[in-house]
Amino acid sequence: MRVLFDGYWWDGDARGTRAVQRELILAWHRAFPRDQLSVALRPESPADDLPAAVNRVTVRLRPHALSNLVELRRLARRERADALVVHDFTPLGGATATIVHDAMHRDHPAWFPMSQRLYSSAILPSARFANIVATGTRSEAARIERHEWALAPVTSIGVAARTSLTTASPARPAIVADVTQFALTRGRLGTRDGIDDAVAAALASSRVTTQSPLIVVVDSSRRSVEARLSARHRAARDTGRIRFSGRLTPAELSWMLRHTALVLSLAPDENMALPAMEATWFDAPLVASDVPAHREVAGGWAHLVPVGDAVAAGAAIDARWHAAGDEEARERILARADWRAAARELRAAIVSSTAR
């Protein structure tokens, strides 16, 4: 099979999309070495880690939506692709498979600026042109179907921990150079990733102290993090119990996940729940918000708490600090969390759709 993949975010800023794009392409190449793969990348995207057997093609239009809508169908014809796999935005001429990462802008419009809501508004309608619509989790598939019933059934391909973390050689980051214990949360500043809830929970905990702080890893540069901290964040930081870090390398984040006393994942909603999945992979005690994606991805391993309940989350931090979890549940979770399995699921769906 000849397949052209959308690789617009191969080395870009959309972290969740980037992770799924990379993992699926690399896993597909390992699982089906006889397939001829091409990846559509932006001109500036370095491709040193792209396997030699995978062909690189170039897309030039900006932004991602315009590139997908206009360029990819033409490139698929040029590459004589049997299948075209895209992310979020489906070409006007259709795609074999569109991976929709989430439809949270439909459920929680207040979390997103108007510009982003307008930009994302084309995702679900354009997906009607795809043979297959897929997403990472069953819970997100249900959300997509609820908002755009014509896309049903949406295929859930599954998610796994990023190989950039699981294969990295751990390196201790400077932000924890002076402490022996710490808790960890990560995401973007703002409502969607639950950073405010994690800070409130940490301040309600007796385990989080100046000697065992909560480390908040924000997916931005250090300078950007400092400029974007709210007065509430600065007040929490001034207690010495909360530390804010900019983006860490995979080696640094791998070290943090291996050594943390506990991971907090308190997002008020989730699509793929990658932070919870990665905490589970690294055997880290996990306190997570009780939302469908966390129940699906880490149920049985995570200690689930009601969304927005700082007192319950603080008590859970104290109870789960360095505590052993249910290893049988963890083994069941990891047994189904595999990027090659996700690639096989997607390929099987493509083969089935083209055989009709």
Side-chain angles (χ1 to χ4, degrees):
M1 181 186 291
R2 300 173 68 94
V3 187
L4 174 63
F5 288 92
D6 168 15
Y8 189 93
W9 296 113
W10 180 266
D11 195 55
D13 293 330
R15 297 289 162 178
T17 307
R18 173 186 176 181
V20 177
Q21 284 190 344
R22 282 175 162 266
E23 297 292 354
L24 274 179
I25 292 166
L26 297 175
W28 191 304
H29 175 65
R30 292 192 298 269
F32 304 103
R34 293 188 178 183
D35 284 357
Q36 298 178 49
L37 309 184
S38 298
V39 182
L41 303 175
R42 294 177 291 172
E44 68 272 19
S45 293
D48 298 342
D49 51 352
L50 196 67
V54 177
N55 181 45
R56 172 179 179 153
V57 299
T58 302
V59 292
R60 300 187 182 280
L61 294 180
R62 304 287 189 276
H64 183 215
L66 183 61
S67 175
N68 276 25
L69 291 170
V70 175
E71 288 184 288
L72 284 187
R73 174 52 59 186
R74 174 178 56 80
L75 289 173
R77 288 196 297 267
R78 192 188 76 186
E79 296 297 309
R80 295 182 292 117
D82 302 305
L84 172 60
V85 178
V86 303
H87 293 259
D88 285 337
F89 299 100
T90 308
L92 295 177
T96 311
T98 298
I99 299 169
V100 175
H101 289 259
D102 69 77
M104 277 196 281
H105 61 284
R106 292 283 191 93
D107 277 344
H108 311 287
W111 294 357
F112 304 89
M114 178 61 75
S115 59
Q116 189 172 350
R117 297 203 302 271
L118 289 173
Y119 183 72
S120 300
S121 66
I123 292 175
L124 296 188
S126 74
R128 295 187 181 195
F129 295 102
N131 293 2
I132 299 159
V133 177
T135 193
T137 57
R138 293 187 301 274
S139 53
E140 195 59 36
R143 190 204 314 265
I144 294 166
E145 292 170 351
R146 174 162 49 83
H147 283 291
E148 199 78 25
W149 60 266
L151 301 181
V154 175
T155 300
S156 168
I157 60 175
V159 295
R162 289 171 292 168
T163 54
S164 61
L165 296 182
T166 61
T167 61
S169 298
R172 185 171 189 156
I175 195 163
V176 290
D178 62 331
V179 296
T180 58
Q181 295 191 76
F182 60 90
L184 172 67
T185 193
R186 53 195 175 108
R188 290 159 292 191
L189 294 173
T191 303
R192 176 174 173 174
D193 285 357
I195 296 299
D196 286 351
D197 287 346
V199 169
L203 295 177
S205 161
S206 62
R207 288 283 194 171
V208 177
T209 69
T210 57
Q211 298 305 308
S212 52
L214 171 68
I215 309 301
V216 181
V217 177
V218 182
D219 193 16
S220 302
S221 68
R222 184 179 303 175
R223 181 176 298 177
S224 174
V225 171
E226 182 63 29
R228 293 169 58 205
L229 289 180
S230 66
R232 188 177 181 183
H233 293 146
R234 293 178 192 278
R237 184 185 61 183
D238 291 346
T239 68
R241 299 169 66 192
I242 313 294
R243 300 183 183 185
F244 289 88
S245 167
R247 187 177 300 134
L248 298 180
T249 66
E252 290 172 327
L253 187 53
S254 176
W255 190 95
M256 295 282 282
L257 286 164
R258 292 174 192 275
H259 293 87
T260 187
L262 178 134
V263 170
L264 282 175
S265 187
L266 298 183
D269 203 350
E270 265 288 358
N271 57 339
M272 292 183 290
L274 276 178
M277 167 58 67
E278 289 167 349
T280 306
W281 194 96
F282 280 95
D283 204 14
L286 173 63
V287 174
S289 50
D290 190 3
V291 297
H294 283 154
R295 294 196 292 271
E296 176 182 345
V297 166
W301 177 256
H303 183 124
L304 298 174
V305 296
V307 172
D309 191 333
V311 173
I317 292 171
D318 294 343
R320 290 285 286 142
W321 192 269
H322 274 311
D326 185 339
E327 285 297 333
E328 289 187 4
R330 178 173 173 270
E331 290 300 323
R332 288 195 299 271
I333 292 165
L334 297 185
R336 65 177 184 264
D338 180 76
W339 288 113
R340 272 193 270 200
R344 286 193 290 268
E345 182 77 22
L346 184 60
R347 190 181 190 277
I350 288 171
V351 170
S352 177
S353 74
T354 55
R356 293 171 194 161

